[in-house]
Amino acid sequence: HMTEWFNIENATLADTLSALGIKTKMAPLWLPYGYEQAYIKMTKDYLLGEDSIFAKYEDHTKHSEMFVMISKVTDSSSGTIEKDDRPVLEYVKENTTWYIMHNLQQINAVALTGNYQVLISAPVSVDEMKSIINSIYE
């Protein structure tokens, strides 16, 4: 079993996806005020054929973090997204259904686009999460 991790430096998430030849729009172009990219890490699992890209963003003044996780969906893919007891909201943008759910102070939004799962998690309002999602398609 061989897994490889590496950091992507001096590039945005959109630039990283483009450099990898991924044309599907998945990278937010707008972040809530104060958030800046901290790092991007890519993981490749050669045995399972799974790739994922994890982008972390930080707001140092609020001591707050958000992330975007893009995972290639394979036959062996599995995982859960935590939520609390509030109902899941469906938000459709550009023929993609995003599922927005609360998990205590975090808002998680997840969608399947192409053969990728995109998860955005941030301590923001539902309206701010919709703005983050909208920016993907600009």
Side-chain angles (χ1 to χ4, degrees):
H1 193 123
M2 187 167 161
T3 303
E4 179 176 50
W5 296 271
F6 49 95
N7 292 323
I8 308 294
E9 297 188 8
N10 302 315
T12 66
L13 181 56
D15 291 340
T16 300
L17 294 173
S18 178
L20 293 169
I22 299 171
K23 296 183 185 343
T24 306
K25 291 185 175 188
M26 296 181 279
L29 302 176
W30 177 86
L31 301 174
Y33 178 78
Y35 282 94
E36 296 178 353
Q37 183 176 299
Y39 63 82
I40 298 174
K41 181 174 289 219
M42 182 160 186
T43 304
K44 293 182 76 61
D45 185 320
Y46 291 96
L47 179 67
L48 300 177
E50 296 178 346
D51 298 339
S52 65
I53 301 166
F54 182 86
K56 182 178 174 183
Y57 304 89
E58 298 174 339
D59 180 336
H60 295 289
T61 58
K62 294 180 188 171
H63 304 288
S64 182
E65 299 177 349
M66 69 174 282
F67 69 84
V68 178
M69 174 89 141
I70 299 170
S71 305
K72 189 173 185 182
V73 178
T74 66
D75 290 341
S76 61
S77 295
S78 66
T80 58
I81 298 165
E82 291 188 31
K83 67 173 276 325
D84 60 24
D85 58 355
R86 289 174 274 188
V88 174
L89 307 169
E90 288 187 18
Y91 182 64
V92 178
K93 187 70 178 177
E94 300 285 324
N95 296 320
T96 300
T97 302
W98 286 84
Y99 299 93
I100 300 174
M101 57 202 89
H102 293 81
N103 185 32
L104 305 174
Q105 280 68 46
Q106 292 284 111
I107 298 286
N108 294 326
V110 66
L112 290 175
T113 180
N115 57 343
Y116 293 92
Q117 175 183 286
V118 182
L119 169 62
I120 304 169
S121 183
V124 297
S125 68
V126 170
D127 286 339
E128 285 176 309
M129 184 58 76
K130 287 179 180 179
S131 293
I132 293 169
I133 293 167
N134 291 344
S135 77
I136 293 170
Y137 303 98
E138 292 177 354

